[in-house]
Amino acid sequence: MTTSRWPHAFFAAAATYAMIGVCWGLTMSITQNHATYSAHAHLNLLGWVSLALMGAFYALLGQNVPNWVKLTNFTLSNVGVICMISGLFMYLGQVGPVSIYGPLLAVGGLCTVAGFLLFGVTVITSLVRKPAAA
Ligand code: HEM
């Protein structure tokens, strides 16, 4: 049993994105307007699925990962989701100028990739540092 609150924080963020994502999907279904489906899909997969998987890793296998790594992963991944999905929504829904959604997509994409790279390196190094018991 872990005492770290970081897995809980990852799951709380993931559940928030899931609530928004499924309401978004339902709205598309009801209105028959699927213009923003790609942003909905990315919100569900980057926000809900990916953050929940990261939280599960930190809860089950990553208890020894330093807090600054979890904080940085959490910050990068959440800033990435929020900026990228906002930018995608504006672009696909044609509700804003490129001067706003362009930087949002750039920052969101870079932060999302950086979050995945940090998570990937963390998973691999934790395997190397902590050999299996059997
Ligand atoms: C009540 C829940 C949900 C509803 C009502 C819903 C509804 C929709 C709708 C209407 C589309 C547009 C389909 C199209 O135009 O081709 C869509 C696309 C998509 N959704 Fe959802 N969605 C829900 C939950 C989820 C969840 C939980 C995920 C992933 C974890 C997800 C992933 C996707 C993906 C990947 C696409 C793109 C599929 C494609 O390329 O056509 N959705 N969804």
Side-chain angles (χ1 to χ4, degrees):
M1 177 73 82
T2 177
T3 54
S4 170
R5 301 289 286 166
W6 281 111
H8 206 147
F10 274 87
F11 269 93
T16 302
Y17 297 133
M19 289 189 286
I20 298 169
V22 295
C23 289
W24 188 337
L26 190 61
T27 304
M28 287 192 299
S29 300
I30 292 168
T31 61
Q32 292 289 296
N33 180 355
H34 296 185
T36 59
Y37 81 90
S38 179
H40 151 85
H42 281 81
L43 176 62
N44 282 330
L45 294 171
L46 292 176
W48 163 230
V49 179
S50 300
L51 283 182
L53 285 174
M54 288 172 182
F57 168 78
Y58 289 125
L60 297 172
L61 300 171
Q63 293 99 330
N64 297 330
V65 173
N67 275 336
W68 72 264
V69 173
K70 297 172 194 169
L71 170 64
T72 308
N73 188 168
F74 185 83
T75 305
L76 285 171
S77 297
N78 278 283
V79 170
V81 167
I82 292 166
C83 291
M84 190 172 163
I85 302 312
S86 307
L88 264 181
F89 174 77
M90 292 175 71
Y91 167 67
L92 296 168
Q94 299 182 323
V95 292
V98 66
S99 59
I100 296 181
Y101 68 69
L104 280 173
L105 286 170
V107 171
L110 288 171
C111 286
T112 297
V113 170
F116 274 114
L117 291 178
L118 176 61
F119 179 69
V121 169
T122 302
V123 171
I124 292 163
T125 53
S126 70
L127 169 68
V128 172
R129 278 189 193 152
K130 189 180 173 191

